Amino acid sequence: MPSIEDWINDPLGIIQNIFDKQQNLDSSNVKNYFTEKLKTKNALTWIPSLNDSSLHTLKPNSLVRFRCIVQDMFDPEFYLGSYEVKDVVTGQTTMKSGKYKDIAECGANQSIDLDSMNNKTMDRMTLYCVPVPGESSWVKTANTDMSKVKTKCYPSTSQTPMRCKRNRDNNETMETSPVDNSEDSCQGQPFSSVVGDTDIMETDSIEIKRKQTNKSEPGSSKISDLNFPLPSETGPACIVKVYDDIDSYKVNDVVEFVGVLSVDPSLAIFPGNGDGDHPLLGGVEESIEELHAHAPPPSLVPRLHAVLCNHLAHVNPLVPNTGTEEYSTVLENIQREVTTLREELLSILELSLLGDRLAAEYLLCNLVASVYGRADVMPLGKFGLNLSNCPSTPTYSQLLHHLISNLVTQTHLVHMSLDNMNKLPFSPHKDYTANRLCSGILQLACQTNLVLDETSLGAGQLDVQGVKNLAALGNLITWQKVEYDFNFHRQEFMADVSVLILSEGRSILPSDCLLPLQYSGAPDDLRTHFTQLDSRLTEDFLRRCRTYLGLARNLQYSLNDDIQKKIQDDFVDMRKDDPKNMTVDDFHSLLSLTRLLSLSDLKSSPTSEIWSRAKVLENSRKQRVSQLPTRERSA
Amino acid sequence: MDVTEQVGRTNQLKDQIGERCQKLFQDFLEEFSVDGEQKYLGEVQELIRPERNTLTVGYDDVEKYNQQLATTILEEYYRVYPFLCRAVRNYAKDWGQIPPNKEFYVSFTDVPSRLKVRELTTSKMGTLLRITGQVVRTHPVHPELVCGTFMCLECRTIIKDVEQQFKYTQPSICRNPVCNNRSKFMLDVNKSRFVDFQKVRIQETQAELPRGSIPRSVEVILRAEAVEMAQAGDKCDFTGTLIVVPDVSSLSIPGARAETGAKVSGNQGYENEGVRGLKALGVRDLNYRMAYLACTVTSTNARFGGSSLKEEEMTAENVKKQMTDEEWQKVYDMSRDKNLYQNLCSSLFPTIHGNEEIKRGILLMLFGGVPKQTTELTKLRGDINICIVGDPSTAKSQFLKQVEEFSPRAVYTSGKASTAAGLTAAVVKDEESHEFVIEAGALMLADNGVCCIDEFDKMDPKDQVAIHEAMEQQTISITKAGVRATLNARTSILAAANPIGGRYDRSKSLKQNITLTAPIMSRFDLFFILVDECNEVTDYAIARRIVDLHSRNEESVDRIYSVEDISRYLMFARQFKPKISVESQEYMIEEYKRLRQRDGTGAAKSAWRITVRQLESMIRLSEGMARMHCQDEVQPKHVKEAFRLLNKSIIRVEQPDIHLEEEGAEPETVTMETEEAAPPQETPEEAPVDATGAAGKGPKKALKLSYDEYKQMANLLVLYMRKAEEEQEGEDSPGLRRSNLISWYLGEMESEIESEAELLEKKTVIEKVLDRLVHHDHVLIELAQTGLSRKNKRDEDTLVRDDDPFLVVHPNYVVD
C-alpha cells in the first residue's frame, strides 16, 4: 500500500486538499475518504493506537486511534472553521480550514488575518475520554498484537511517563506496584504467581491515599489525577474533539476514535500567565482548577480531533463485528464445539468454586449477563448473583477475580472493607470549581463484571459516605443505574454491570439470585488449590473461552410463540401448586435464567429442554436457600 | 469572527441601522403609553437616582409599538444594544439632571425566543434570546472598566474614551502626532468609567437534559443591575445574547499584552516567525470562549427554603405562554380527550399489570388538590398522600420508581437507608466556615413535588414522627445546635410498606397488618393494599405480560401519551384552582354522611373511623379530578369518582373472604368496636347474635365466599334487577320482591344444583348475600313499608321472608 504513509502521516494535508476542492466545509467527503481507506482488510491495524504506544513515539498531527469511554463531556467550543491567510509579499489571500486542528498555521511570508470577514466561526464538541475502565490485560495485549505498527519502546505497557514519575515520587512504590498491577500485568501468568504475600487490604488503602493526595494538591505544578474511574487504571487520557453528530455521544459510551493527534505544547495553559493582573477588568478567564481540568499539558493529555468514530458494542478483540462474514465463521466454529467448551469451562468454574457444580452454572450465567433492554424503569437481562458461604479471606476473592478477568473483557474487584466503603468514591460527582465530572468506581462501561468481596467487611461504623456508597451499589444492582451527584440535583445514568457478590452470609446488598456455596471443607491453601487450574488454562483454551463468552453475551435472543405459551402455562400451573413459591419476581428471574442458559448454549431461542433445566436449577437453588437459617425474610 | 471586534469597527463607521434604532427607540420611550400615560416616564425618572442605571423594557411593548424596531432588536441585538442604551440616556437627560459620565442600560423582559442551553450554537450569536438554566457557580462582583482614560507616559497626553471589551485595551498609539509611544500608557482610574460585573455559570436544567448526557454549562456575564440577582442553586431565566470573547487567557501573556488588542493587528508579524513557536510569540489558538451576555435575570423558582411567591403567582396563562404552539396544541387535545383518565393511567404505568385503582390514585396525587388558607390563617394542605401496603414482589417499588421517573420534582428514598437527617433536614457544620448550615433532606428537596418513600415501615419511628409534621403542616422544623428553622416541605408522600410478617394477612385489619401509628395512618388520603392473589386468569395475564417484556421489550411498552406530554399537561393542569360547586357540596355531604353511617354500623371492620380527615381527602381528590379535566369547578361527577376511590381504598382493606356467618372474626370485631369512642347502637346486639348463630350452626361448614365469588353473585343479581326495573318502568310496581329474586336466582343456578341439601345451601347463601348487599354494601335498598325495625332482620330468615320487602338497586351503584 503506497499511499498508506500519506494518509496516516499527513492527514491534515489531505483534508485541506479535499476542502480546497469542494470549496466548502462539509466534512462528509473527508469521512468518506478515510472510510474508504479503512475498508481494506486490517487497514485499521496500520494506524498506531494511543492505547498501546507511548505518546512520545507518535508523530504529532498524524492519524491515531484510541479505544476509550467518554468519561466527561465538556462544553462545546467555538473555533475558526476557516480562516484567511494573506501572503505578505504578494498580498494574495487564501482560505484555510481550521477543522481537525488546534493551531492556526500558515507558511513562510504569510500571515493570518483574524479580522477577515471571510473567517467562519463554527462549533465542535469536546469530550474527555479515558481508557475503558477495568479492561482485562488480555484485551490490551490482543489489541497490541494485532497492531501492525510496532512502536520502538514500551511495547505493551501503556503507562505514560507521568505515571512513572508519580510512582517514583511515591515512597511506597516498591510495595505497591507489584500488587497494584497484579490485576493487569500478570496476564497469562500462572495462578501461583498471582498473589504475593502482600496484604491486599493495604493496597487499597494506598490507592485511597493516592486519590487523596491527588485531591489535596490541585494547584501544584503536577496536574491532578487524570480522573480515571478505577484507581488502578493506567493509560492515557485524551481530550477528543468531535465535529459531527455531537449529540450522539453519551457518557460512558465505548468508542474507538480515529483522528488527528494534536500535542502542540502551546495548548497547555499554565497557571499564572493566564489570568493576568488586571483586577479592573472582568475577564472571562477560568480558574486554575478549571484550567487544569480543561487544558492540561498535551504531553499528558493529548488532543485528538476525531475524523471517524466507531461506537463499540463490546471491546472483545476476538469477536468480529456482527453481520460480517468473519463473524459468522467464528460463530459457527464455536457453535460446533459449544457443548464440550461449555462443559470444560463449567468444570473449571466448578473447581474455582470449590467443587460446587450448581454455583458454576450460575456463575457462567452471571458472566454472560448484560442488560438488553429496559421496560420503563425495569432493567431486563441483569443477573446479580450473590454467592454466600464463601471462604472468608480476601485471597479467595482475588483468585476468583483473576480467573474471571482472564475470561471476560472488563472486570473490577472491590473489597468492601469498611475503610473502602467509607472512603472510596463510588458515584461520580461534579466538581464545579474545576467544572468537571470527578469519576467514581461505579462509572463503568457496559458489559463490565463487577466483583464485590463482602467477606472483607467487618463490624464497625459506616459514615455518611459509606451509607451513600452502599445505597449506590444497591441501586446499581436493582435498577442498573448510577446516580451522579450534580450537587444541586442528582442525575441517573444507565449502567450495564453484571455484579457478583461474594459473602459469608446473605449479602447486605440486594441481588437477583442468592446461592450459598456448598463444599466439603475448604482446601488448606487456596493458592495451591487454584494452581491446579494453571495446566488447564492453556492459551488456546482461554482464547476459545473468551470468544465463546464474547459471542454468548452479544447474541440476539428471542422467544418463539410455542415456548412462550408453554412458559405462560407453566407459570399458571406453578402458581396453582404453590403461589408462595412462584411470585412475579421469581418468574422474572426464571425467565432471565432461561435466557442466559440459552445464550450460554449459543442458542438465540430457548428450547423446552432449557426451560426445564432452568426450573430444575432454580428449584435446587431455592432448596439450598431454604436451608439457610432464616433471618428476616424481606424482599 | 469575533463579534466584539465587529462592533468596535462598525461603531466607528457610524452604524446607520444603529442610529436609526436609537432614534426609534427614543421615540418609543417617549410615546409608548398605556391608558394615556407614558409608561416608561416614571421609570426613567427613577433612573436619576445614583444607585439605579438600568431601564427594564417589556419586549412585547416594543413589538406593539413598532414591529420593525422589535425585529431589528431581536436579530441585531448585540449590534444595536449600545444605541439603545444611548437612547435611554438621551431620554433621561430630557427629564432631569444626570451626571455627565453616568452609563445607562436597557434590559428586556418577555422575550419570545426561548432556547435551551444545548441549542446555543454559532448561528445564534448576537441575537436576543432567552435561556433557562440552573446557576451552579457565582463569582464575586467586581468593577469592570467600560471606558478608559489613559495618559501617555512619554508625552503626558490624555487619551479619553478608549472603549473596553472584555479585555484591557490600551490605545494603539499615542494621539500626539510627534509621540510614537505604542505601549507605555497609564490608566487614570478616576476619570475612567466602570460598571458592576459578575460572572456566573449556569447549567442545563434537569428537564432539558437528554438521557445519558452530562449537563452542559455556559458562562453568563451580568452587568449593572443584573448582578447579584442569581444565587447558586436558583433556576433562572436569562435574557441576552451569545457572544464569543477572544480567549483572554491565551492572549494576555506578559510581555505580549500590548500587542494583543483586538483592534490592533500589529501582532500578526510574530505569526510569521514560527507556527510552532511558543504562545508568547503569538501563535493563534483557534478556540474561542463562548459566553452569554445577559441583561435580565428572572428567577423561575423560589429560592430554596425561602418564600415562593413566583410559584404561586404562576397561572395557567403563564404556563401556556411558555409552551410552543405544538406543545399547547397537544395539551389542548389532551384536555379534550374523553378517555383522558384511563389513557393517562395506562401511559403512566405501561408495564404494571392491573392495579387500576392504585394508578388512578397516584394520578390524582400528581394533580393534587388546592391548598387553602382559613380565615384564622390555618393552612390546609392540597397534597394527597398515598400509602401502598403489599406483599413482597407486587410491583410496589416499581410504582414509586416510575413516579420518580416522570415527576419533575420527585425524590425516591428508602426508609431503610435514610436516617432522620436524610429524610427531613439536617444541621451540618460547614467545613470551611465552621458555621452551621441546613442541609436539605429528601422531603425538602421534593418541595412542590412528590416524595417516594420505599419501605416506609422500616423507617425509624422518630423519622415517622418527623414526617408526620411534614404531612399535615407541610413544614419541617428543626431545632438543633442553635439553629432553629421552619422549612417548607409541601410535598405529597407516596409510601410503600411491607405488612408485618412479610405477607398481608387478610383475616386481620389493616391496622394489625402494618406497623404504622394511627396518627400517621390517618394522614394518608388513600391506602391501597396489594395482595399477591392467586387467580388463574390474572396469573395468565401477568405471565403474558412478563414473557412479552422479556421477549420483545420495545413493543410491549406502548403509551398513548409520552412522558413529556404528561408532565407538560400536569404542569398546566396544576395551575387550576377549582372551586366546589353547590351541587357538589351537597353531594359530598350526602356521601360523607353515608360513610359515617356505614362506619357507625360497625359491621364493616373499617381500618379507621371515618372522620373529617376523610372528608378532606374527598375534597382533595375531587379537586384533583377537576384539575385533571382542566375545569374551574368541581362537579358532582368528580366527587363521585373521588368518593369511589376513597371507598375502594377503605373497602379494599376489608376484603377478606366474606364470612357470611361472621364467625371467627368476632373477637376482633368486638375489641375493635369497643375501642371506638361512641359504639353504634347495633353493635352490642349484633355480636351475640352472630355468636349464637355460629354456635347453632357449629357442625355445619362455615359459609365462606371469596370476595370474587361474592362480587360475581352481586353483579348477577344487580344486572337482573336493573333489567327488571327497566321492563317495569311506568308500572306501579316499585320493584322486585325479595322472594322473587331468590327464586329467580335459584332457577338460574338450577343446573348446578344436584341434591336438595345443595339447594338449601344455595338458598342460605343467596339470602345471606342479599342481606349483605342491603345492609353492608348498600347496593340494594329495601323498601319495607312495614315498620319492622331493621336490627331484627338479621337474626332470623323467616322473619324477613314474611316481610318480603321490595328490593331496588341503589341508583348510584355502578357494576364493575
Side-chain angles (χ1 to χ4, degrees), chain B residues 280-570:
Chain B
L281 292 175
V283 171
R284 254 328 272 259
D285 198 329
L286 282 168
N287 301 344
Y288 282 116
R289 304 267 304 139
M290 161 169 82
Y292 187 84
L293 184 64
C295 61
T296 317
V297 181
T298 44
S299 172
T300 52
N301 74 325
R303 194 152 306 152
F304 180 58
S307 69
S308 66
L309 265 169
K310 275 281 171 207
E311 198 94 358
E312 273 144 32
E313 275 171 8
M314 197 125 105
T315 61
E317 274 305 303
N318 272 340
V319 175
K320 186 180 161 184
K321 251 191 222 164
Q322 290 182 0
M323 285 189 258
T324 65
D325 283 349
E326 260 169 66
E327 287 167 350
W328 167 244
Q329 187 59 39
K330 185 79 198 172
V331 168
Y332 181 76
D333 288 347
M334 281 169 82
S335 71
R336 305 313 294 276
D337 186 350
K338 282 214 177 62
N339 243 336
L340 183 69
Y341 196 25
Q342 195 47 49
N343 287 347
L344 282 178
C345 281
S346 57
S347 310
L348 284 186
F349 306 100
T351 52
I352 300 173
H353 173 81
N355 297 325
E356 294 302 321
E357 301 303 339
I358 301 183
K359 292 179 188 173
R360 287 182 191 142
I362 292 178
L363 184 67
L364 289 190
M365 178 188 78
L366 291 172
F367 283 101
V370 184
K372 297 171 205 76
Q373 204 164 26
T374 62
T375 41
E376 302 97 44
L377 296 177
T378 315
K379 280 186 184 151
L380 296 177
R381 73 180 155 101
D383 299 304
I384 296 168
N385 300 322
I386 296 181
C387 185
I388 306 174
V389 184
D391 295 350
S393 81
T394 39
K396 286 193 305 290
S397 303
Q398 223 182 321
F399 271 115
L400 268 58
K401 205 74 189 161
Q402 194 92 33
V403 169
E404 189 213 2
E405 195 85 350
F406 59 64
S407 178
R409 292 197 78 169
V411 173
Y412 176 92
T413 171
S414 168
K416 216 165 31 178
S418 56
T419 59
L423 202 58
T424 56
V427 180
V428 290
K429 206 167 192 172
D430 189 62
E431 279 174 24
E432 278 163 29
S433 61
H434 299 291
E435 284 171 8
F436 286 107
V437 286
I438 294 167
E439 203 165 74
L443 281 173
M444 276 171 74
L445 287 176
D447 192 22
N448 280 319
V450 186
C451 185
C452 306
I453 308 172
D454 209 347
E455 297 178 321
F456 193 64
D457 51 323
K458 303 266 188 329
M459 215 162 56
D460 200 284
K462 268 184 274 170
D463 290 338
Q464 293 189 5
V465 172
I467 283 195
H468 187 170
E469 184 195 348
M471 286 170 87
E472 203 54 42
Q473 261 73 49
Q474 308 269 286
T475 54
I476 295 172
S477 7
I478 47 169
T479 337
K480 232 185 236 172
V483 179
R484 191 155 169 265
T486 306
L487 305 159
N488 274 329
R490 289 153 304 181
T491 163
S492 303
I493 289 175
L494 175 60
N498 284 318
I500 295 173
R503 280 184 185 276
Y504 195 86
D505 187 346
R506 287 143 167 267
S507 63
K508 289 182 186 161
S509 73
L510 174 67
K511 237 189 234 165
Q512 289 159 314
N513 260 306
I514 46 174
T515 49
L516 295 181
T517 58
I520 289 213
M521 271 178 76
S522 70
R523 256 114 191 141
F524 282 105
D525 297 83
L526 294 174
F527 252 98
F528 290 110
I529 313 280
L530 270 174
V531 183
D532 188 13
E533 270 168 312
C534 195
N535 175 324
E536 202 167 316
V537 183
T538 50
D539 279 353
Y540 201 79
I542 291 171
R544 211 182 155 76
R545 187 112 212 160
I546 295 173
V547 170
D548 262 6
L549 275 185
H550 279 257
S551 52
R552 37 169 187 267
N553 62 85
E554 278 102 11
E555 296 158 45
S556 61
V557 179
D558 44 11
R559 292 188 151 103
I560 297 155
Y561 298 120
S562 72
V563 175
E564 292 78 38
D565 288 341
I566 297 175
S567 35
R568 211 175 294 120
Y569 187 79
L570 272 173

Side-chain angles (χ1 to χ4, degrees), chain A residues 61 72-73 75-80 83 88 98 101-106 110-112 114-117 119 121-125 241 246-247 249-251 264 266-267 273-274 276-287 290 372-378 380 430 432-433 435 437 467 475 479 481 486 488-494 559 564-565 567-569 571-572 575-576 579-580 583-585 587-588 591-592 632 635, chain B residues 1 5-6 9 118 120-122 125 134-137 142-145 166-168 187 189 194 197 199 201 203 206 209-217 219 221 232-233 242 244-245 248-249 252-254 257 262 268 271-272 275-277 279 283-290 350-351 392-393 397-398 401-402 404-405 412 417 455 458 503 532-534 536 539-540 542-544 546-553 557 559:
Chain A
N61 293 332
D72 194 2
M73 302 159 101
D75 297 323
E77 65 181 14
F78 287 2
Y79 68 104
L80 276 181
Y83 55 93
V88 187
K101 50 181 149 181
D102 283 311
I103 306 286
E105 289 183 23
C106 57
Q110 285 182 326
S111 73
I112 300 165
L114 290 169
D115 296 335
S116 162
M117 295 307 279
N119 288 359
T121 314
M122 298 172 83
D123 36 11
R124 60 188 173 200
M125 183 72 197
K241 311 209 167 174
I246 286 175
D247 286 322
Y249 298 93
K250 304 278 176 230
V251 84
D264 196 295
S266 60
L267 289 173
N273 61 359
D277 44 6
H278 285 277
L280 299 176
L281 271 175
V284 279
E285 70 277 6
E286 297 162 323
S287 65
E290 200 170 337
Y372 65 97
R374 277 169 203 274
D376 259 346
V377 289
M378 258 228 326
L380 300 169
K430 181 95 176 182
Y432 284 110
T433 323
N435 196 21
L437 186 72
V467 174
N475 237 335
W479 306 107
K481 279 178 184 173
F486 284 92
F488 301 99
H489 61 93
R490 288 157 192 285
Q491 186 72 41
E492 282 180 330
F493 287 87
M494 305 291 180
L559 282 171
Q564 262 188 43
K565 176 132 184 18
I567 289 172
Q568 285 166 22
D569 292 344
F571 173 70
V572 176
R575 290 274 294 176
K576 250 190 233 158
K580 297 265 186 304
T583 62
V584 173
D585 280 353
F587 189 50
H588 266 298
L591 279 171
S592 300
E632 177 200 21
Chain B
M1 182 62 231
E5 293 169 23
Q6 271 179 2
R9 174 166 307 183
R118 212 157 262 272
L120 293 175
T121 55
T122 44
M125 274 191 300
Q134 183 164 39
V135 180
V136 291
R137 195 154 188 239
H142 56 107
E144 183 196 25
L145 187 62
F166 302 111
K167 59 181 175 291
Y168 185 65
L187 180 72
V189 177
F194 295 89
F197 174 97
K199 205 171 66 166
R201 195 203 303 277
Q203 180 179 276
Q206 233 176 332
L209 184 70
R211 183 147 277 187
S213 294
I214 299 284
R216 290 205 188 145
S217 57
E219 298 278 352
I221 295 166
L242 187 67
V244 286
V245 285
V248 179
S249 45
S252 52
I253 284 108
R257 185 173 290 119
Q268 252 71 25
E271 249 139 40
N272 300 339
V275 267
R276 293 278 161 72
K279 193 152 256 180
V283 171
R284 254 328 272 259
D285 198 329
L286 282 168
N287 301 344
Y288 282 116
R289 304 267 304 139
M290 161 169 82
T351 52
S393 81
S397 303
Q398 223 182 321
K401 205 74 189 161
Q402 194 92 33
E404 189 213 2
E405 195 85 350
Y412 176 92
E455 297 178 321
K458 303 266 188 329
R503 280 184 185 276
D532 188 13
E533 270 168 312
C534 195
E536 202 167 316
D539 279 353
Y540 201 79
I542 291 171
R544 211 182 155 76
I546 295 173
V547 170
D548 262 6
L549 275 185
H550 279 257
S551 52
R552 37 169 187 267
N553 62 85
V557 179
R559 292 188 151 103

Side-chain angles (χ1 to χ4, degrees), chain A residues 400-470:
Chain A
L400 192 62
H401 172 251
H402 178 75
L403 173 68
I404 292 173
S405 75
N406 258 326
L407 297 171
V408 297
T409 50
Q410 299 125 270
T411 53
H412 185 61
L413 169 68
V414 178
H415 293 287
M416 288 172 62
S417 64
L418 270 181
D419 213 34
N420 277 349
M421 290 309 289
N422 283 337
K423 291 193 181 128
L424 283 182
F426 273 62
S427 306
H429 69 276
K430 181 95 176 182
D431 175 357
Y432 284 110
T433 323
N435 196 21
R436 68 166 179 180
L437 186 72
C438 294
S439 196
I441 291 177
L442 296 186
Q443 189 174 16
L444 298 169
C446 57
Q447 299 199 352
T448 303
N449 288 71
L450 184 66
V451 183
L452 300 175
D453 174 17
E454 205 189 278
T455 58
S456 359
L457 189 64
Q461 186 72 42
L462 271 186
D463 59 17
V464 180
Q465 178 70 25
V467 174
K468 274 188 195 158
N469 283 341
L470 209 57

Side-chain angles (χ1 to χ4, degrees), chain B residues 88-274:
Chain B
V88 176
R89 185 187 161 80
N90 290 343
Y91 184 49
K93 226 193 279 174
D94 294 349
W95 288 98
Q97 282 288 315
I98 50 160
N101 56 359
K102 181 170 175 172
E103 293 272 336
F104 286 91
Y105 300 92
V106 187
S107 80
F108 287 99
T109 55
D110 303 320
V111 172
S113 49
R114 172 187 283 277
L115 278 185
K116 293 177 179 167
V117 172
R118 212 157 262 272
E119 291 166 342
L120 293 175
T121 55
T122 44
S123 58
K124 304 292 190 309
M125 274 191 300
T127 60
L128 186 60
L129 315 162
R130 183 155 62 136
I131 55 172
T132 310
Q134 183 164 39
V135 180
V136 291
R137 195 154 188 239
T138 56
H139 293 255
V141 178
H142 56 107
E144 183 196 25
L145 187 62
V146 190
C147 226
T149 301
F150 290 90
M151 189 173 69
C152 173
L153 289 175
E154 305 236 308
C155 66
R156 311 250 149 210
T157 310
I158 302 289
I159 303 148
K160 276 195 202 163
D161 291 342
V162 180
E163 268 194 65
Q164 309 282 321
Q165 280 291 354
F166 302 111
K167 59 181 175 291
Y168 185 65
T169 313
Q170 289 192 349
S172 51
I173 186 165
C174 180
R175 292 219 180 130
N176 187 347
V178 288
C179 176
N180 274 329
N181 178 23
R182 278 169 184 270
S183 57
K184 289 173 193 147
F185 298 97
M186 195 183 77
L187 180 72
D188 186 344
V189 177
N190 289 328
K191 289 187 182 137
S192 301
R193 273 176 287 158
F194 295 89
V195 66
D196 282 342
F197 174 97
Q198 188 188 22
K199 205 171 66 166
V200 301
R201 195 203 303 277
I202 61 164
Q203 180 179 276
E204 217 169 348
T205 57
Q206 233 176 332
E208 289 173 357
L209 184 70
R211 183 147 277 187
S213 294
I214 299 284
R216 290 205 188 145
S217 57
V218 59
E219 298 278 352
V220 175
I221 295 166
L222 301 172
R223 280 180 177 155
E225 283 183 24
V227 300
E228 289 288 10
M229 295 282 282
Q231 306 281 311
D234 287 0
K235 235 184 247 171
C236 293
D237 263 11
F238 295 88
T239 311
T241 187
L242 187 67
I243 55 169
V244 286
V245 285
D247 203 335
V248 179
S249 45
S250 63
L251 281 173
S252 52
I253 284 108
R257 185 173 290 119
E259 279 90 11
T260 50
K263 282 180 230 157
V264 194
S265 31
N267 65 333
Q268 252 71 25
Y270 287 108
E271 249 139 40
N272 300 339
E273 292 179 13

